[in-house]
């Protein structure tokens, strides 16, 4: 086998997660989707935005990043 610099790619199979949100969180997520549309001129659904929001949140949490 060749000694490649690029390691084997990780599993990239999406995992579906379902959760219940309190009404105030639901409203805030919809307001964020509205703000996103106003900023970028394109409507994205809340379920499409959530994975990117969570990814950005985890990447910006310095205490968590040092653990992982």
């Amino acid at each position: 086998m060749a000694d490649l610099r690029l390691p084997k790619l990780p599993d990239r199979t999406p995992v579906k997660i379902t959760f219940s949100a309190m009404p105030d969180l639901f409203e805030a997520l919809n307001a964020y989707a509205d703000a996103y549309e106003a900023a970028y001129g394109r409507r994205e659904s809340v379920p499409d935005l959530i994975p990117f929001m969570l990814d950005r949140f985890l990447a910006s949490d310095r205490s968590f990043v040092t653990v992982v």
Side-chain angles (χ1 to χ4, degrees):
M1 183 185 311
D3 187 21
L4 301 176
R5 287 184 173 254
L6 181 66
K8 183 179 177 185
L9 297 177
D11 183 9
R12 296 176 313 279
T13 305
V15 178
K16 184 171 182 147
I17 298 174
T18 304
F19 73 97
S20 298
M22 299 302 285
D24 57 337
L25 176 59
F26 180 72
E27 290 175 22
L29 290 169
N30 280 301
Y32 191 91
D34 294 341
Y36 183 93
E37 181 179 19
Y40 298 110
R42 179 181 171 146
R43 182 73 183 179
E44 297 288 351
S45 70
V46 169
D48 287 339
L49 290 171
I50 288 174
F52 296 96
M53 296 167 73
L54 289 173
D55 184 61
R56 181 59 61 105
F57 172 79
L58 291 174
S60 68
D61 186 330
R62 291 183 181 166
S63 296
F64 179 74
V65 170
T66 58
V67 172
V68 177

